[in-house]
Amino acid sequence: MTLTVPPPTAAVTRRRAAWLAYAAVAWAIGYGTLRAGWAMTGTPSFGPLGTDLVVVTGWWSVALQAAAATAGVGLAQAQAWRPALAAAAWAVCAAILLSGALLLLDLVGFLILDLSPAFTLAGFLSRAGALTGAVLLHAAALAHLRRFRGDCGRCGRARRSGGPAPRWARVAAWAAVAGCLVRLAAQVAVGFGDLPLAQGASVVAFEVGFLLAGVLLPLALVYRWGRVWPGWVPLLAGHRVPRLVPLAPAVVFAVGLICYFGVGLAQLAVETVTGTVDLGDGRYPLGFFWFAESGYWLWGWGLGVAAVGYHLRTRRTCRHCGR
């Protein structure tokens, strides 16, 4: 006998959407209050960088949290599909993510077990707090979209899972590889200096991770060996790859690369136009920074789009709508 699970009622869907929206509001109020306190009485020590956030700081960061809370209330109380409201919520999410762009440096430091001298616990926790608010607001906007666009209220899907990677996902994956190679080519053009082995194990780990995240990870998102372990993997060959193994790092690094190097490119463009570029010790010419940062940014976008394709193909079938 097959047990059929009924689809969620409109009331259940509405409560779920409202809960997410009010969670985003509560977080924005709490985090915004903290930032207002810092703006009035002074911030903790953020080390050599002197700041925890970039682009949107000080009272502007307080205003951004107020915008997040306002968007959350609007999403919670909406009785119909409001595309402008959802767009505004996602715009606030993007601004929050940009403000926490330095979180990428924290994550890289954790992965290679070599935190930057500029790392501070207060700065890391503050950036993580901003990211948490952005995730909650995104979830609320997504729930609003699912509730009113006519698809399943539980999963919001418009297509079934499975199948081969679509062409756009494969193009994105190879674009990510191209971005990695552009970054590598820029380094080859100016030279590598000391060998990595002479600089310590952390740099070796960074170089290995660089190649894995720039070549293996994007392609794993669009080819079969990213879903089933290939024959050359001992003990695991032929078994399914847990979907979060490639998906989680792809999403994290895609967001980090897009935000961090998006800010960097914008700053580089302004400094190039105004003639205020600081080339440090002069080892690297201006062209190196343009090629390297553009390569990183392309890498991030390609990785992110390929991750979306992988997510759509590998998610479990919804028990409520069968997609």
Side-chain angles (χ1 to χ4, degrees):
M1 179 178 178
T2 302
L3 178 62
T4 301
V5 181
T9 64
V12 172
T13 303
R14 183 173 62 253
R15 285 197 298 269
R16 184 182 300 115
W19 182 89
L20 285 169
Y22 282 125
V25 171
W27 188 270
I29 291 174
Y31 187 68
T33 300
L34 173 65
R35 299 212 66 87
W38 285 351
M40 290 186 291
T41 63
T43 63
S45 172
F46 292 127
L49 294 178
T51 183
D52 55 336
L53 303 179
V54 295
V55 182
V56 185
T57 59
W59 283 106
W60 286 110
S61 64
V62 178
L64 187 59
Q65 295 305 315
T70 302
V73 172
L75 291 170
Q77 297 184 350
Q79 298 301 314
W81 167 235
R82 296 286 184 265
L85 178 60
W90 277 316
V92 172
C93 288
I96 294 174
L97 290 174
L98 286 175
S99 71
L102 294 176
L103 189 62
L104 176 65
L105 300 183
D106 299 332
L107 295 178
V108 171
F110 286 131
L111 286 175
I112 66 175
L113 303 179
D114 185 23
L115 296 175
S116 163
F119 174 86
T120 64
L121 181 60
F124 167 71
L125 292 177
S126 176
R127 291 186 283 272
L131 176 64
T132 300
V135 170
L136 286 173
L137 187 58
H138 163 70
L142 188 60
H144 176 73
L145 176 66
R146 290 173 175 176
R147 178 185 171 193
F148 292 113
R149 73 177 182 179
D151 293 324
C152 174
R154 175 64 63 87
C155 69
R157 299 176 188 177
R159 50 158 288 181
R160 294 185 180 276
S161 304
R167 182 179 180 182
W168 54 264
R170 294 195 301 272
V171 170
W174 282 105
V177 174
C180 175
L181 295 180
V182 167
R183 169 63 182 93
L184 187 60
Q187 192 66 53
V188 170
V190 298
F192 287 90
D194 296 332
L195 292 174
L197 289 174
Q199 299 181 27
S202 62
V203 179
V204 176
F206 175 81
E207 299 294 344
V208 172
F210 179 92
L211 293 175
L212 290 177
V215 178
L216 187 65
L217 181 57
L219 299 182
L221 296 170
V222 295
Y223 290 105
R224 185 177 182 274
W225 47 269
R227 301 176 64 184
V228 179
W229 292 108
W232 48 266
V233 179
L235 304 178
L236 296 175
H239 293 277
R240 276 196 164 284
V241 177
R243 68 192 301 264
L244 290 182
V245 169
L247 186 59
V251 170
V252 170
F253 281 106
V255 172
L257 290 171
I258 290 170
C259 293
Y260 184 82
F261 289 101
V263 172
L265 279 171
Q267 181 179 2
L268 185 61
V270 172
E271 292 179 349
T272 300
V273 171
T274 58
T276 57
V277 178
D278 181 6
L279 298 178
D281 59 7
R283 176 183 175 185
Y284 298 125
L286 178 60
F288 167 81
F289 294 101
W290 272 108
F291 273 96
E293 295 194 19
S294 297
Y296 273 127
W297 207 49
L298 175 62
W299 180 357
W301 278 109
L303 194 60
V305 174
V308 171
Y310 186 88
H311 163 69
L312 294 177
R313 289 185 298 118
T314 60
R315 59 191 179 180
R316 292 182 178 179
T317 301
C318 178
R319 295 181 301 166
H320 299 271
C321 70
R323 293 189 181 123

